[in-house]
Amino acid sequence: MRARRISKAFTLAVAAVLALGACTGTPPAPKESTATATTSQGGNITVLEPAPFTSFNAASTTGQGATNTRIDYATHSGFNYVDSGLKLVKNDKFGKYEKISDKPLTIKYTINSGVQWSDGAPVTAADLFLQWAAASGYYNDATLDPAFKVVKGSAYFNYGGDTTGLSQTSMPVIGDNGSSLTLSYTKPYSDWETALGSTVSIPAHIVAVRAGLKDADALVSLLQGIPKGDPSAPVKPNPELRKVADFWNTGFDTKSMPDPSLALSNGPYLVKGITAGKELVLTRNVDYNWGTVPTLDTITVHYNSKAGAQIAALKAKTADVASPALTADNLAALAEVKSDGVQTQVGNTLGFDQAVLNFKGVLAKPDLRTAFLKTVPRQDIADQVAKPLNPDATVLNSFVFRAVQTPYKESTSSNGSAGFAAADIDAAKKLLAGATPTVRILYNKDDPVRAAEFDLISASAQMAGFTVTDGGKGSAQWLQALKDGAFDVALYGWTSNPTGSVQVPQVFRTGAPSNLNNFSNTVVDQLTEQLAGEPDDAKQNALKMQIDKLVFGAGYGLPLFQRSAAAAYGPHVSGVQYSPVPVGVWWNVWDWKYVK
């Protein structure tokens, strides 16, 4: 459903603050604080997260959020995960997935015998079927207004992710005595390996009973008997499906420890207890052997949104792991607590900043777009804004690749970014030919990084003859202004997907949910269509390189730099490693060990 796709796009992609994640490769592991430190089985460590836990369903629109996602990751398992080098790692101990046909694209998922929920019930294809039902939008027949409200028909599952891939599948087939599920796509889809999700998080047998059905088999029978929704011919809402969807949507939301059946795990840890707004306690799942077995007895999660308080807790050893927001002051504070055994890893995230031009309005003319882009002092921005936080920060020269990715150097050598390596005021003046167009620059004025970018860009543009209007908005207003297109130039960021290519069409295709600046190019549209259906990695990269070049050539805007972030940990934990993925340092939680 488009409303859900655009909601997720803004939640995960428009980076108003630092997005925790990717480093440009794996940073070297800092030395332990003492030569005699030894790791041991068991033990407890404390992790600080900025926001409280609120839901056991991190895939719903009400449950999505960083803390929920990280707890979900620690308490559930699945077919694969993304490591700190942005590589997709298969978990063959959980099960396997295999492509059994290219025409049509057909994928079979099989769960291994012995994989179970913490109440002893087996993880089965019914759990995969429910996950598909929620993430595909298959049953929706809703028509939406421009504000994405339902005006007729029904929208059932409030899924917080992107439905692009699974919406192209037909009704799944369950086999092998309920241990396998086979999906067939109506057209090729490049990101099929991650389309169904990396973890299996919601128990179908619990949802079934809570919705008034006998068991998981009855739930599957219900879902199998309902046809695909058609917005052009909506039907009377199905009351049984509505009960199932309503419970999936909000039934797992909670701020305190719920009925244990709503906190089931199939992963390395279990949620043992929750104190609303204060802490959450994880305990080791002693039955878990379908993945790397953890060693810690417990992990206690406390909440504090203030970076200064996080750093103070690391110093006092009342916390062991934290990811404080990276600012010059916080970086200095982290350096000061190094003598207390606190180690810090800093690197580039998957979030990057950019200056994007609106193709409607004063910059609709190509020459004016080029003139403005010639004024953007990208090197100065990197030197003055990015490098003080990360000495390795550089100008970003691609819209579709990050520096850690192999095609980055090849694409940047030919995409046209070299023509905008530094500000060229004389070239901009020549293109303006005496004109003094007024441009309105939108940015989040509550973000000091964006405010600094505005100051540098504004001063440079005015030197060339542009009249600049400060369109800065507060945190509560700027995103709406961005969605409304109330700008000529906008300073904002995307957080790239750690794997796959699905985000490229979402951003650059004409009319796409995340195309916020009215960019339209028929060749780019054709290439994004090919990209969405191309399964071969090398061919995907070739298509993305063409898109990268065309976007630069059209005067879309300019990428500026990748944001940086920090992960810090104290002397009583080892195995913590800065990561490029949305779950941050939690990506290898099973490797964390207590240090005496």
Side-chain angles (χ1 to χ4, degrees), residues 157-181:
F157 294 96
N158 294 337
Y159 178 63
D162 179 59
T163 62
T164 300
L166 292 181
S167 67
Q168 301 170 17
T169 57
S170 52
M171 181 72 70
V173 176
I174 291 179
D176 300 302
N177 295 317
S179 66
S180 72
L181 179 140

Side-chain angles (χ1 to χ4, degrees), residues 55-405:
S55 181
F56 284 94
N57 185 359
S60 70
T61 55
T62 58
Q64 61 184 3
T67 302
N68 297 341
T69 300
R70 290 162 186 169
I71 299 305
D72 175 76
Y73 184 86
T75 57
H76 296 92
S77 189
F79 294 99
N80 56 42
Y81 63 93
V82 181
D83 69 12
S84 62
L86 302 184
K87 302 296 183 183
L88 196 65
V89 180
K90 293 182 178 180
N91 180 12
D92 294 331
K93 293 181 179 180
F94 179 90
K96 65 178 181 179
Y97 56 93
E98 54 189 329
K99 183 178 7 175
I100 59 178
S101 172
D102 280 312
K103 295 183 178 180
L105 176 64
T106 306
I107 313 300
K108 182 178 181 180
Y109 301 83
T110 304
I111 302 167
N112 291 342
S113 175
V115 177
Q116 64 182 36
W117 295 99
S118 48
D119 65 352
V123 178
T124 70
D127 302 308
L128 297 181
F129 203 115
L130 176 60
Q131 193 153 311
W132 167 86
S136 65
Y138 185 87
Y139 303 103
N140 295 335
D141 60 9
T143 297
L144 310 177
D145 67 13
F148 303 102
K149 293 182 180 179
V150 175
V151 294
K152 66 177 180 178
S154 301
Y156 291 100
F157 294 96
N158 294 337
Y159 178 63
D162 179 59
T163 62
T164 300
L166 292 181
S167 67
Q168 301 170 17
T169 57
S170 52
M171 181 72 70
V173 176
I174 291 179
D176 300 302
N177 295 317
S179 66
S180 72
L181 179 140
T182 301
L183 282 180
S184 294
Y185 288 77
T186 56
K187 61 181 180 179
Y189 182 61
S190 60
D191 288 0
W192 62 267
E193 250 186 304
T194 55
L196 196 57
S198 295
T199 59
V200 180
S201 302
I202 302 299
H205 64 292
I206 299 300
V207 173
V209 172
R210 293 298 182 117
L213 300 172
K214 179 181 179 182
D215 53 24
D217 289 340
L219 172 59
V220 170
S221 295
L222 169 68
L223 296 175
Q224 288 175 326
I226 301 174
K228 183 178 177 65
D230 181 0
S232 67
V235 298
K236 184 179 179 180
N238 184 297
E240 290 183 301
L241 178 59
R242 171 55 65 196
K243 289 181 181 179
V244 169
D246 284 349
F247 190 81
W248 188 95
N249 292 339
T250 60
F252 293 92
D253 295 351
T254 182
K255 294 180 180 179
S256 58
M257 191 65 193
D259 181 304
S261 67
L262 301 181
L264 296 186
S265 164
N266 61 29
Y269 288 95
L270 311 166
V271 175
K272 181 181 181 180
I274 303 174
T275 303
K278 182 179 179 182
E279 71 174 23
L280 179 147
V281 178
L282 298 170
T283 186
R284 184 164 56 90
N285 184 354
V286 295
D287 295 323
Y288 180 75
N289 61 9
W290 45 91
T292 304
V293 176
T295 63
L296 291 171
D297 287 332
T298 56
I299 298 174
T300 302
V301 181
H302 287 167
Y303 315 122
N304 199 313
S305 61
K306 297 180 179 179
Q310 294 176 16
I311 297 169
L314 290 169
K315 175 182 173 66
K317 299 181 177 58
T318 56
D320 300 294
V321 181
S323 299
L326 193 60
T327 66
D329 289 344
N330 293 342
L331 194 59
L334 287 167
E336 290 179 2
V337 298
K338 186 175 181 180
S339 60
D340 298 289
V342 177
Q343 303 290 337
T344 303
Q345 297 178 3
V346 175
N348 287 331
T349 72
L350 285 175
F352 69 96
D353 279 27
Q354 58 182 352
V356 172
L357 309 188
N358 197 335
F359 278 61
K360 290 184 179 179
V362 67
L363 296 179
K365 295 180 180 180
D367 282 352
L368 289 184
R369 290 199 300 274
T370 303
F372 185 87
L373 296 177
K374 286 289 186 180
T375 72
V376 178
R378 293 201 298 154
Q379 189 62 59
D380 290 343
I381 292 171
D383 291 342
Q384 298 181 40
V385 178
K387 283 191 175 183
L389 302 182
N390 180 1
D392 296 327
T394 61
V395 172
L396 180 66
N397 286 313
S398 173
F399 281 106
V400 299
F401 297 111
R402 305 288 75 78
V404 70
Q405 296 173 304

Side-chain angles (χ1 to χ4, degrees), residues 427-504:
K429 286 181 176 179
K430 186 175 180 180
L431 287 165
L432 287 176
T436 58
T438 298
V439 292
R440 175 181 41 170
I441 302 181
L442 172 67
Y443 63 99
N444 179 2
K445 67 180 182 181
D446 293 334
D447 181 341
V449 171
R450 298 277 160 72
E453 293 169 6
F454 169 77
D455 289 342
L456 291 168
I457 292 173
S458 174
S460 185
Q462 290 180 83
M463 289 173 60
F466 284 97
T467 300
V468 176
T469 299
D470 186 341
K473 303 288 185 182
S475 298
Q477 296 86 30
W478 85 272
L479 183 55
Q480 187 60 51
L482 181 64
K483 290 192 282 187
D484 291 342
F487 64 90
D488 299 305
V489 180
L491 307 178
Y492 63 98
W494 292 123
T495 297
S496 303
N497 292 338
T499 62
S501 301
V502 68
Q503 191 178 49
V504 176

